[in-house]
Amino acid sequence: MTDHPAPAAGRAPGYLPAMGRSWLLPLYDPFTRLSGSRRVHGELLDRAGLRPGAPVLEIGCGTGNLLLLAKRRCPEADLAGLDPDPAALRRARRKADRAGLAVRLDRGFAADLPYPDESMDLVLSAFMLHHLEQADVPRALAEVRRVLRPGGQLHVVDVAGGGHRHGLLRHLARRSPRVAHSSPDQLLALLAEAGLRDAAETGRGATRLGDYAFYRAQR
């Protein structure tokens, strides 16, 4: 697969780099390994149920950790990753090429997906939605609904803001409204408002960073 830059048109929605600051990107992969994110990614893929030949999109793919794990698990899946950060995408491309994994990597924003209507069977999102400006979350979910085929599913894991008992997220929630407002009730309401059906929280867990929750919805 080849990479395709997103067209430069319209307002660029706000986003946070993977580590909050662009210059911290080299620390992202070591940080995620130490925090237990790979285990969480595996749990998300267990819930999503990858299928050979199915077109799958990850929004906010960052340096490609979830995307490449998905390709290793299901080599026949048709996988695309989208991220607004060109530096993160370059790292993802290097990792994919070193591993010999064919994935598509596109630059773009979740609130303006560069894909046709009803083109995806599955959309994944891992610890990304809380990086968006609050006004862009409904737009992103509406875009997810647009690109999903009828019966297609969205699977999300994200911080369970507002209730962190421990870990770094407890401190971030005090300082960042994006984390503090990432509550399960709020996200479930936004999923329903976007026209996604059967929105449900499907599980919770905790890493060294703090609490997280899984969600599922479908078109």
Side-chain angles (χ1 to χ4, degrees):
M1 297 183 184
T2 57
D3 300 342
H4 301 274
R11 183 183 68 86
Y15 75 98
L16 287 174
M19 288 291 289
R21 298 287 186 274
S22 296
W23 60 272
L24 289 173
L25 183 63
L27 301 177
Y28 179 71
D29 285 341
F31 179 79
T32 55
R33 285 194 294 271
L34 289 171
S35 68
S37 293
R38 184 179 178 86
R39 172 177 57 81
V40 180
H41 288 165
E43 292 179 46
L44 181 64
L45 294 176
D46 289 342
R47 287 170 162 79
L50 299 173
R51 299 190 311 277
V56 179
L57 170 65
E58 183 192 357
I59 51 175
C61 67
T63 64
N65 293 327
L66 173 62
L67 193 71
L68 298 181
L69 179 61
K71 191 66 175 179
R72 290 186 178 97
R73 284 196 172 196
C74 188
E76 297 82 14
D78 180 10
L79 290 160
L82 180 89
D83 201 274
D85 186 344
L89 289 173
R90 286 193 294 270
R91 286 179 176 269
R93 173 49 57 204
R94 288 195 295 268
K95 288 159 63 175
D97 290 346
R98 284 197 301 266
L101 298 173
V103 295
R104 173 175 171 171
L105 295 165
D106 296 323
R107 184 168 186 256
F109 295 89
D112 187 16
L113 296 177
Y115 307 104
D117 296 356
E118 301 184 6
S119 57
M120 299 293 170
D121 279 353
L122 181 64
V123 176
L124 304 172
S125 172
F127 299 111
M128 187 282 293
L129 290 178
H130 73 275
H131 280 235
L132 299 178
E133 297 281 1
Q134 282 186 268
D136 285 323
V137 176
R139 297 187 186 102
L141 296 178
E143 279 289 272
V144 167
R145 184 188 182 282
R146 179 182 66 78
V147 302
L148 278 175
R149 294 172 176 172
Q153 293 190 342
L154 167 67
H155 284 264
V156 175
V157 61
D158 215 323
V159 299
H164 300 293
R165 299 181 298 275
H166 65 280
L168 178 61
L169 291 175
R170 181 184 63 183
H171 303 289
L172 291 177
R174 294 172 182 168
R175 301 178 58 185
S176 171
R178 300 193 197 194
V179 174
H181 294 157
S182 298
S183 71
D185 287 346
Q186 182 189 49
L187 182 52
L188 289 171
L190 290 172
L191 289 166
E193 289 170 11
L196 292 161
R197 298 188 297 108
D198 303 324
E201 180 184 332
T202 60
R204 291 204 187 192
T207 67
R208 296 175 184 177
L209 295 180
D211 304 328
Y212 59 87
F214 294 99
Y215 309 87
R216 180 194 66 242
Q218 71 177 31
R219 175 164 181 182

